[in-house]
Amino acid sequence: DAALAANLYSDRKRLRAPLPSAGDGALVEAVTEVEDTEPLFGTGQARQVLLAGGVPHLQTRLVIDAPKQLPLHYVVRLAPGLQPRRTDSGDRLTLVFETGPSDAVQLRPPNLPSDVPRWPSVTFSTGESWTAVANRFGKAVDEQIGAEDLRGLLPPLPAGASREQIAGTLVTYLHEKVRYTGVEFGEAAWVPGKPMETLKRGFGDCKDKAAVLIAMLRAAGLDARLALLNTGPGMDVEPEAPGLGMFDHAIVYVPGQPALWIDATDQWARPGQLGAMDQDRYALILGERTSGLVRTPGSTPADNRTVENREFFLPALGTARVVETMETWGGDDLSIRSAYATADQEALRKGYERYGEVGYLSKKLAAFEHRTPEDFSGPFRVKAEFVGAGRGVVGESEAVVAIPRAELFERLPPWLRAAPPENSGVRTEDAELHEPFTVEWRYRIVPPAGFRVRELPPPADQKLGRAAYSHTFQTGEDGVVTGALRFETGGRRMTAGEARALREGVVQISSAPPLLISFDQSGEKLLAEGKIREALAEFRRLSAAEPKEPVHRTRISRALLAAGVGEAARQQAR
C-alpha cells in the first residue's frame, strides 16, 4: 500500500503509456515474457499466473519452456479439467496451458480462508523441494549473518535472564537502533545486509532487521533462524510449489519449548507474539534441519481481549456520569498501541468526545488519559470520564440505564454485522476472521440514594454458530448493580453455516431494544401506594443525608400536599 511504498526503495521500474483507440468493446492483447537463466541461489523460483480477471477474456495462454532436468512443479486452481499440452524437444520441455473464452470473474465472498483460491490460476515452481530451498537459501543468508560477532554491542542483559527476557531486551534495542525502510536493489531484494552494516546505517527492511536480531540472539547464546512467509490476509503460498518468489516477509524463529516467533518489524509485539497478518501462515524456516513448510502459531479469542469497565454514577436528578476504563491484550493491544503512538493527542481527545456523544449520549468529556504505548508493564489502558450521559437518566420517581449492544460486535467485518442484500445468494464457502477475539463490557451502576432496583434483564447465554454471546446482571446488598456483556468469536475459521448463524444472531441482538436497568424511588413508590407517612419519613431521611439536594425538599412538599398540609408544603418548598 501507499504507506509501505513510501518506505521502499528498489530497482523495479514501471513503464506506463495510454492504449491507442481503447474504449468499450475494444480488444486488448497483453504479452508478458519472463526469462530466468539462473535460479535464485540455486533454490528455484515460484510464480503464479492468473487465468482470468475482472473483464472477459477471449483467451489466456501460459507457456513454460524449461530444461528437462529442471524439477518443474505446477498446480492449477479454479480451472477444472485444465491440462497442459506437453512437448519434448531435445533437452527442453514445453508446457502450454490455454483457456478461454471466459466471462469476467465474479467477486468472491469476503474473508475467505488462506487456503481457498480467489482466482483461476496456475502456480509453477522450479525448486527441488522445500528442504532444498531452505538449505540452499539458508546458506546464502548465513553467509551474511554467521560471521558477525555482535557481543561487544549487546545491551546489558539481566543476570539469569530467561530466553524470553533476553529476546525482549534485544528486540527493544533493535527498535531503538534500526528503523524500518525497505532496500531492494538487486540481490538485496532477497538477501539481508550484514548486521553490522545495518546497525551503522540505522535502517533496514524486514529481512535486515531480522538478520540483526538473529546475530544478537546468537551472540547471546540462543539459536535463531530466519523464516520466510507470505503475510495475510489473502491466499497463502502454494505448498505444492517449492521455490522462492511467493514470500513477502521475513521473521525470526527461535527453537525451543515453546518456540519463539518474533516479527522484528513490529515494535509493539512481545517475543513470541505475532501480529494477525503473520499468524497461521505457512513459513519456511531456513537451514539444514527444515523438512518442509510449517504453520506459524495462531491465537485464540482469549488471547485477543478487550475489557471495558463501565461505571455509571446516577445523580439525585438528571443524567449520569460515566467512567470507562478500557484494557487490551493480544492483537487488540498491538493495534491500539500502534495507533496511539503516532496519533495527535488532541485528535485522540476529540475522537473520544465523539465516542461519548454517540455511545453514551454525553454532553462533555470531563477527563481522558491513557498509558504510554511504550509502557509494557501491563495491558494498554485508556480511561475516560463522560458527564451529562443520557444513557443513564434519573427522574423524580424512577431511573433507568439503557445499554444498546450493536457496538459489542463492531470488530466483526461489516458483512457479519448486517443482513445480506436481497438476491445476494447464499454463501457456501468457509470464512476466516482476521483474528479471533473476545469483547467484554463490565458494568457497575451506582443508583442515587433512595432508589432500589425494579427490574434487571434476565440472563442470556446464546450460541451464534461457533461464537457465543452472554449477559448477566445482579444487585449487591448496597443496591449497586453489577453485570457483564460478553462476546467471543470462537475459532478463526468457520463454516458457511456457522457464519450465517453468527450473522443472524448479531443482527438480531444489535437491532433489539437496549437492555434496561430500571430503578424506583422508594419514597415515590410509597407515595403512589398511598403510604404517605412512610413516604414522608423516607424523603426526610434523604434530605437529612443530602441537605444540598433540592429534589428531596420538593418530594417532601409533594408528600405534605398529598397529606393535605398545604402551608407546611409551601414552607418546605422554600
Side-chain angles (χ1 to χ4, degrees), residues 392-410:
V393 179
V394 181
E396 288 192 348
S397 60
E398 63 179 352
V400 65
V401 171
I403 304 174
R405 292 173 284 173
E407 186 192 339
L408 189 69
F409 311 106
E410 69 174 357

Tab-separated table of all heavy atoms in Angstrom, residues 392-410:
chain	number	residue	atom	x	y	z
A	392	GLY	N	-27.922	7.137	30.989
A	392	GLY	CA	-28.422	6.946	32.341
A	392	GLY	C	-29.189	8.186	32.769
A	392	GLY	O	-28.621	9.280	32.786
A	393	VAL	N	-30.467	8.043	33.089
A	393	VAL	CA	-31.323	9.190	33.390
A	393	VAL	C	-32.075	8.924	34.687
A	393	VAL	O	-32.597	7.826	34.914
A	393	VAL	CB	-32.329	9.457	32.254
A	393	VAL	CG1	-33.227	10.636	32.602
A	393	VAL	CG2	-31.594	9.708	30.937
A	394	VAL	N	-32.153	9.963	35.527
A	394	VAL	CA	-32.875	9.876	36.794
A	394	VAL	C	-33.987	10.917	36.792
A	394	VAL	O	-33.741	12.118	36.584
A	394	VAL	CB	-31.943	10.115	37.999
A	394	VAL	CG1	-32.720	10.005	39.311
A	394	VAL	CG2	-30.778	9.140	37.982
A	395	GLY	N	-35.219	10.467	37.007
A	395	GLY	CA	-36.351	11.357	37.177
A	395	GLY	C	-36.766	11.404	38.633
A	395	GLY	O	-36.079	10.874	39.505
A	396	GLU	N	-37.907	12.020	38.912
A	396	GLU	CA	-38.341	12.144	40.309
A	396	GLU	C	-38.744	10.806	40.903
A	396	GLU	O	-38.540	10.561	42.080
A	396	GLU	CB	-39.500	13.135	40.401
A	396	GLU	CG	-39.070	14.586	40.190
A	396	GLU	CD	-40.162	15.557	40.571
A	396	GLU	OE1	-41.307	15.108	40.769
A	396	GLU	OE2	-39.864	16.758	40.691
A	397	SER	N	-39.312	9.922	40.063
A	397	SER	CA	-39.820	8.677	40.624
A	397	SER	C	-39.107	7.437	40.118
A	397	SER	O	-39.291	6.355	40.687
A	397	SER	CB	-41.319	8.547	40.327
A	397	SER	OG	-41.538	8.550	38.925
A	398	GLU	N	-38.338	7.556	39.040
A	398	GLU	CA	-37.663	6.371	38.530
A	398	GLU	C	-36.350	6.753	37.859
A	398	GLU	O	-36.120	7.924	37.529
A	398	GLU	CB	-38.561	5.626	37.530
A	398	GLU	CG	-38.895	6.413	36.299
A	398	GLU	CD	-39.773	5.623	35.330
A	398	GLU	OE1	-39.984	4.419	35.554
A	398	GLU	OE2	-40.240	6.220	34.338
A	399	ALA	N	-35.501	5.763	37.652
A	399	ALA	CA	-34.223	5.942	36.963
A	399	ALA	C	-34.017	4.746	36.042
A	399	ALA	O	-34.529	3.654	36.301
A	399	ALA	CB	-33.077	6.051	37.957
A	400	VAL	N	-33.257	4.971	34.974
A	400	VAL	CA	-33.018	3.880	34.038
A	400	VAL	C	-31.653	4.051	33.382
A	400	VAL	O	-31.221	5.175	33.108
A	400	VAL	CB	-34.133	3.798	32.967
A	400	VAL	CG1	-34.139	5.038	32.088
A	400	VAL	CG2	-34.004	2.537	32.127
A	401	VAL	N	-30.966	2.942	33.159
A	401	VAL	CA	-29.741	2.896	32.366
A	401	VAL	C	-30.024	2.015	31.157
A	401	VAL	O	-30.504	0.885	31.310
A	401	VAL	CB	-28.557	2.337	33.174
A	401	VAL	CG1	-27.362	2.094	32.267
A	401	VAL	CG2	-28.187	3.296	34.295
A	402	ALA	N	-29.766	2.543	29.962
A	402	ALA	CA	-30.021	1.817	28.717
A	402	ALA	C	-28.695	1.344	28.120
A	402	ALA	O	-27.739	2.117	28.030
A	402	ALA	CB	-30.771	2.702	27.731
A	403	ILE	N	-28.648	0.092	27.686
A	403	ILE	CA	-27.425	-0.494	27.143
A	403	ILE	C	-27.704	-1.031	25.744
A	403	ILE	O	-28.171	-2.172	25.588
A	403	ILE	CB	-26.908	-1.630	28.042
A	403	ILE	CG1	-26.697	-1.128	29.476
A	403	ILE	CG2	-25.615	-2.216	27.485
A	403	ILE	CD1	-26.329	-2.221	30.465
A	404	PRO	N	-27.443	-0.226	24.699
A	404	PRO	CA	-27.515	-0.780	23.338
A	404	PRO	C	-26.321	-1.696	23.091
A	404	PRO	O	-25.257	-1.517	23.675
A	404	PRO	CB	-27.472	0.476	22.446
A	404	PRO	CG	-26.811	1.515	23.282
A	404	PRO	CD	-27.089	1.202	24.719
A	405	ARG	N	-26.498	-2.682	22.200
A	405	ARG	CA	-25.475	-3.729	22.114
A	405	ARG	C	-24.757	-3.830	20.776
A	405	ARG	O	-23.837	-4.637	20.634
A	405	ARG	CB	-26.117	-5.080	22.450
A	405	ARG	CG	-26.549	-5.189	23.899
A	405	ARG	CD	-27.319	-6.469	24.154
A	405	ARG	NE	-28.683	-6.411	23.650
A	405	ARG	CZ	-29.511	-7.443	23.625
A	405	ARG	NH1	-29.100	-8.628	24.066
A	405	ARG	NH2	-30.742	-7.309	23.169
A	406	ALA	N	-25.131	-3.038	19.779
A	406	ALA	CA	-24.525	-3.187	18.449
A	406	ALA	C	-23.010	-2.980	18.487
A	406	ALA	O	-22.252	-3.666	17.778
A	406	ALA	CB	-25.172	-2.210	17.471
A	407	GLU	N	-22.549	-2.052	19.331
A	407	GLU	CA	-21.119	-1.740	19.388
A	407	GLU	C	-20.289	-2.924	19.884
A	407	GLU	O	-19.091	-3.013	19.610
A	407	GLU	CB	-20.900	-0.535	20.300
A	407	GLU	CG	-19.479	-0.026	20.335
A	407	GLU	CD	-19.252	0.972	21.464
A	407	GLU	OE1	-20.247	1.556	21.942
A	407	GLU	OE2	-18.096	1.137	21.860
A	408	LEU	N	-20.921	-3.860	20.580
A	408	LEU	CA	-20.200	-5.023	21.088
A	408	LEU	C	-19.593	-5.838	19.944
A	408	LEU	O	-18.575	-6.518	20.127
A	408	LEU	CB	-21.155	-5.897	21.902
A	408	LEU	CG	-20.570	-7.052	22.711
A	408	LEU	CD1	-19.750	-6.549	23.890
A	408	LEU	CD2	-21.678	-7.974	23.212
A	409	PHE	N	-20.195	-5.738	18.747
A	409	PHE	CA	-19.771	-6.560	17.616
A	409	PHE	C	-19.012	-5.768	16.554
A	409	PHE	O	-18.808	-6.269	15.443
A	409	PHE	CB	-21.002	-7.200	16.967
A	409	PHE	CG	-21.926	-7.876	17.938
A	409	PHE	CD1	-23.145	-7.304	18.290
A	409	PHE	CD2	-21.574	-9.084	18.513
A	409	PHE	CE1	-23.996	-7.928	19.187
A	409	PHE	CE2	-22.419	-9.716	19.417
A	409	PHE	CZ	-23.633	-9.134	19.757
A	410	GLU	N	-18.586	-4.541	16.856
A	410	GLU	CA	-18.049	-3.678	15.812
A	410	GLU	C	-16.727	-4.173	15.225
A	410	GLU	O	-16.339	-3.751	14.138
A	410	GLU	CB	-17.889	-2.249	16.325
A	410	GLU	CG	-16.793	-2.069	17.378
A	410	GLU	CD	-16.607	-0.605	17.733
A	410	GLU	OE1	-17.286	0.239	17.131
A	410	GLU	OE2	-15.774	-0.320	18.615
